[in-house]
Amino acid sequence: MNLDNLHHIDPRRYSARINTALDWLRAQDFSILAAGRYDIDSGMRAERFSLTTRPRDEIAPEVHRDHIDIQYLISGIEGIACRLDDGAIKPSEAYDPSRDVAFYPKTLDGESLLHLHAGDFAILYPGEIHRPGCGTGNIVDKIVIKIRFDTL
């Protein structure tokens, strides 16, 4: 899990693939970029959407096996609860390879909470359980970039 700000990053901290995603974000004019899916290349895609944050215990934690998530906040304030998947907790729903996701019980101990503000992004790797969208009912505008892990 990494937490950083798009406007103050040191590109040396990241792989070429992650820098490609961050360059794509920096090149966007969010005042005209519509909600929807954008294919950046054959192993990377972005989706822009808005959501209303909810209390952490209302959101099912999730994990991916094949994709890295870069969760970038355009506007608003969002919490993302995170925990390493150490194998001690069993998913509440079986892994779905077509969506690259497994969900965990909503009662999950040992999470850390990342607080994102406009311009911040979190990088979540396969095996890092996360539940984005935590908060108190505020609206956030964000982009999630998915990078196939095998393209790093």
Side-chain angles (χ1 to χ4, degrees), residues 9-81:
I9 62 169
D10 180 348
R12 297 174 299 175
R13 294 184 61 202
Y14 302 108
S15 71
R17 292 292 287 155
I18 290 175
N19 275 312
T20 296
L22 299 176
D23 289 343
W24 184 89
L25 284 169
R26 278 193 294 274
Q28 302 312 305
D29 179 347
F30 297 118
S31 68
I32 61 171
L33 185 72
R37 180 178 162 158
Y38 299 87
D39 292 326
I40 298 170
D41 64 33
S42 62
M44 188 182 316
R45 69 182 186 274
E47 185 174 356
R48 180 180 184 168
F49 58 95
S50 295
L51 63 86
T52 302
T53 61
R54 299 180 292 154
R56 183 186 339 194
D57 60 357
E58 293 181 7
I59 301 167
E62 61 186 61
V63 72
H64 309 293
R65 292 184 185 169
D66 298 326
H67 289 86
I68 292 170
D69 273 6
I70 299 177
Q71 303 221 3
Y72 174 72
L73 204 58
I74 297 168
S75 65
I77 299 172
E78 176 186 20
I80 300 178

Side-chain angles (χ1 to χ4, degrees), residues 68-125:
I68 292 170
D69 273 6
I70 299 177
Q71 303 221 3
Y72 174 72
L73 204 58
I74 297 168
S75 65
I77 299 172
E78 176 186 20
I80 300 178
C82 306
R83 181 188 194 285
L84 291 175
D85 185 359
D86 58 7
I89 301 166
K90 300 296 178 210
S92 58
E93 294 181 29
Y95 175 73
D96 179 350
S98 68
R99 294 177 50 217
D100 185 35
V101 69
F103 291 99
Y104 286 80
K106 291 179 182 175
T107 54
L108 188 64
D109 293 327
E111 291 175 300
S112 297
L113 188 61
L114 303 176
H115 296 278
L116 278 71
H117 300 266
D120 291 344
F121 63 91
I123 302 174
L124 301 150
Y125 293 88

